């Protein structure tokens, strides 16, 4: 049940450059585990990050019984279980299957769907994406063609506010106020307008069309194709018309959002039971923290920013819950020094890492003061692969032999790097400088 893998993030090719891979897709899942230095790792795909409380309990039990007891959130709103034993595969599959977390054994690694986590809660979105989420997940699991997608191919369902549109998904559906939807392929600025009812099927057809082009190029993602995303969009339009989806004369120019608007911590405005959003330092939750969240409401929504939205909290309990989670070390408001700080697993969990980046990030946070308005997020990486790094603009801190290299990144463009071989104070100064907003 174990398969060795590399989690290397391959950079997309330059425009017109042919992309090729010399190995199969070894992306981990719930059935194909990855052997890490701290034991086996399972990545449980959770479509849209949405968990009912029974499913949340099962994940906690699996982490306690089979792993290190912690639940690790990913940048796609999924959960990783770490420290698993080499012979745990059958038991893990049994637990997840009984909870509905393995709807299709042949498709479990391709159920990569992020969704606007506040959709239907705060009144800011143009469409409630939850019906799309349920429909798309069912269509993916029922498509023999879709089983050929890589474990890295990503769908995004954006309710119109632009939050997950900024994540660079391969297929993005954007809700509109008139009930229609826009279909974006990769980073294409030309989008296809379809009816809201056709949106999940259109997203599936787009992915299947991608596969027809990807086979020759050996590509796993739209950005790796040797053709522009706009050209693939045209092919998708043809496929949609052939399938009876009316998209022939509805092409629009809508550039992708460039900045992801992640949910603010604390109360989420609703007209009924409260919804609360809390941040998770380094995306790592203890069993006790997870249980406290899952006992507070009726649903967990895991976000791509390693935070959790708890819905259905009794209004009279909301303030007490936030106080409880603050005391437990979670982020409940903008004043936490942990705000905007992320890191990969680093040493000792990853053999490729050159440093204990989580320990160094924690030391940085302990020394840091309250966050400054407008500062960039910072992400600590144990090696140049930068697994799980954010999109858009951030301070990039990468371990190198004997120290760190610190760079400011904006929309894929890196500034001049600063290499720090000195102690913690020199590193903290370089990181603070990189986090300052500059144009």
């Amino acid at each position: 049940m174990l398969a060795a893998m590399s989690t290397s993030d391959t950079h997309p090719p330059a425009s017109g450059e042919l992309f090729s891979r010399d190995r199969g897709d070894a992306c981990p899942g719930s059935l194909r585990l990855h052997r890490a230095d701290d034991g086996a790792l399972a990545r449980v795909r959770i479509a849209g990050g949405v968990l009912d409380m029974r499913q949340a309990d099962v994940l906690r039990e699996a982490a306690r019984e089979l792993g290190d007891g912690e639940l690790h959130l990913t940048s796609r709103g999924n959960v990783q279980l770490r420290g698993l034993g080499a012979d745990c595969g059958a038991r893990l599959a049994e637990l997840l299957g009984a909870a509905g977390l393995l709807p299709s054994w042949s498709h479990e690694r391709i159920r990569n769907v992020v969704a606007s986590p506040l959709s239907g809660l705060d009144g800011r979105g143009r469409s409630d994406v939850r019906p799309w989420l349920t429909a798309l997940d069912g269509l993916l699991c029922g498509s023999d063609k879709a089983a050929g997608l890589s474990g890295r191919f990503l769908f995004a369902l954006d309710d119109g506010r632009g939050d997950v549109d900024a994540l660079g998904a391969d297929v993005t559906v954007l809700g509109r106020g008139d009930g229609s939807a826009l279909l974006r392929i990769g980073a294409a600025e030309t989008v296809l307008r379809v009816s809201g009812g056709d949106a999940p099927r259109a997203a599936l057809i787009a992915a299947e069309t991608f596969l027809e082009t990807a086979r020759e190029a050996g590509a796993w993602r739209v950005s790796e194709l040797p053709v522009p995303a706009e050209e693939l969009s045209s092919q998708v339009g043809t496929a949609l018309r052939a399938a009876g989806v009316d998209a022939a004369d509805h092409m629009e120019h809508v550039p992708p959002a460039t900045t992801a608007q992640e949910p603010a911590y604390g109360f989420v405005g609703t007209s009924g039971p409260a919804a609360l959003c809390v941040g998770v330092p380094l995306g790592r939750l203890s069993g006790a923290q997870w249980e406290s969240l899952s006992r507070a409401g009726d649903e967990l929504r895991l976000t791509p920013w390693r935070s959790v939205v708890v819905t259905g909290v009794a209004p009279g309990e909301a303030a007490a819950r936030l106080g409880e989670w603050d005391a437990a070390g979670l982020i409940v408001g903008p004043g936490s020094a942990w705000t905007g700080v992320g890191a990969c697993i680093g040493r000792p969990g990853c053999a490729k890492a050159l440093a204990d980046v989580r320990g160094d990030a924690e030391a940085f946070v302990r020394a840091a003061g309250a966050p400054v308005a407008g500062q960039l997020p910072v992400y600590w990486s144990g090696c140049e692969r930068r697994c799980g790094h954010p999109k858009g603009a951030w301070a990039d801190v990468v371990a190198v032999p004997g120290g760190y290299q610190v760079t400011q990144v904006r929309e894929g463009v890196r500034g001049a790097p600063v290499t720090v071989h000195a102690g913690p104070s020199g590193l903290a100064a370089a990181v603070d400088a990189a986090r300052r907003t500059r144009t």
Side-chain angles (χ1 to χ4, degrees):
M1 198 61 78
L2 279 173
M5 66 162 288
S6 165
T7 55
S8 176
D9 246 354
T10 307
H11 296 289
S15 178
E17 178 185 345
L18 181 63
F19 187 95
S20 64
R21 293 186 184 271
D22 57 5
R23 60 179 175 81
D25 177 16
C27 201
S30 301
L31 302 176
R32 176 190 286 180
L33 309 187
H34 161 53
R35 192 185 302 277
D37 271 20
D38 57 351
L41 175 154
R43 184 175 299 157
V44 185
R45 265 67 172 191
I46 302 167
V50 178
L51 289 167
D52 63 36
M53 294 316 180
R54 174 171 170 267
Q55 292 172 326
D57 284 344
V58 167
L59 284 171
R60 179 175 57 86
E61 175 62 21
R64 184 199 65 79
E65 177 184 336
L66 305 174
D68 63 7
E70 295 186 329
L71 299 107
H72 303 259
L73 308 186
T74 78
S75 59
R76 292 184 168 190
N78 294 320
V79 170
Q80 289 188 162
L81 307 178
R82 301 189 67 97
L84 301 170
D87 59 351
C88 76
R91 176 59 176 158
L92 179 61
E94 177 187 3
L95 288 170
L96 299 181
L101 292 169
L102 280 177
S104 169
W105 284 38
S106 58
H107 294 69
E108 62 98 4
R109 291 191 308 139
I110 63 102
R111 298 173 61 241
N112 295 304
V113 185
V114 296
S116 298
L118 299 186
S119 188
L121 293 177
D122 63 352
R124 290 184 54 202
R126 298 178 179 179
S127 301
D128 186 347
V129 302
R130 291 294 299 279
W132 290 348
L133 178 60
T134 302
L136 176 58
D137 195 32
L139 289 169
L140 281 173
C141 291
S143 167
D144 291 338
K145 287 184 179 179
L149 293 170
S150 82
R152 291 170 171 79
F153 193 92
L154 180 63
F155 296 86
L157 303 179
D158 191 304
D159 69 0
R161 72 184 69 208
D163 53 356
V164 296
D165 183 33
L167 298 181
D170 298 281
V171 174
T172 301
V173 177
L174 289 155
R176 312 304 289 172
D178 61 2
S180 67
L182 302 180
L183 182 69
R184 185 188 312 284
I185 310 303
E189 296 190 0
T190 300
V191 297
L192 294 153
R193 184 181 288 270
V194 298
S195 71
D198 280 332
R201 187 162 67 109
L204 174 65
I205 291 170
E208 293 175 340
T209 304
F210 159 80
L211 281 172
E212 295 172 4
T213 303
R215 289 190 185 95
E216 293 184 6
W220 291 345
R221 303 203 62 187
V222 169
S223 61
E224 299 168 358
L225 291 174
V227 299
E230 275 78 10
E231 184 173 328
L232 182 59
S233 295
S234 178
Q235 297 173 18
V236 170
T238 300
L240 292 176
R241 292 191 296 273
V245 177
D246 182 16
D249 301 315
H250 303 284
M251 305 286 288
E252 300 183 21
H253 182 77
V254 181
T258 57
T259 303
Q261 299 296 323
E262 58 186 282
Y265 303 131
F267 291 90
V268 175
T270 68
S271 57
L276 307 175
C277 180
V278 296
V280 180
L282 302 181
R284 185 175 58 198
L285 284 159
S286 69
Q289 289 172 325
W290 182 270
E291 183 175 20
S292 178
L293 294 173
S294 64
R295 293 287 187 267
D298 55 23
E299 182 181 79
L300 299 184
R301 299 188 185 184
L302 313 181
T303 83
W305 303 281
R306 296 181 175 89
S307 58
V308 181
V309 177
V310 185
T311 70
V313 179
E317 298 179 3
R321 290 293 187 182
L322 289 174
E324 173 187 340
W325 296 334
D326 184 27
L330 300 177
I331 308 170
V332 301
S336 170
W338 276 110
T339 301
V341 179
C344 72
I345 196 66
R347 286 182 177 175
C350 176
K352 295 184 180 296
L354 300 178
D356 175 11
V357 291
R358 292 195 168 200
D360 290 340
E362 289 179 8
F364 169 77
V365 167
R366 286 195 298 270
V372 177
Q375 71 181 10
L376 298 179
V378 55
Y379 195 80
W380 299 66
S381 301
C383 72
E384 292 185 356
R385 296 179 305 160
R386 297 176 171 85
C387 296
H389 70 73
K391 301 290 185 181
W394 79 94
D396 184 46
V397 185
V398 181
V400 296
Y404 282 93
Q405 188 177 81
V406 183
T407 314
Q408 188 179 91
V409 180
R410 287 187 175 277
E411 310 306 330
V413 178
R414 298 183 181 277
V418 175
T419 302
V420 182
H421 294 291
S425 60
L427 178 59
V431 173
D432 283 337
R435 297 188 78 183
R436 295 173 192 156
T437 302
R438 299 195 297 268
T439 56

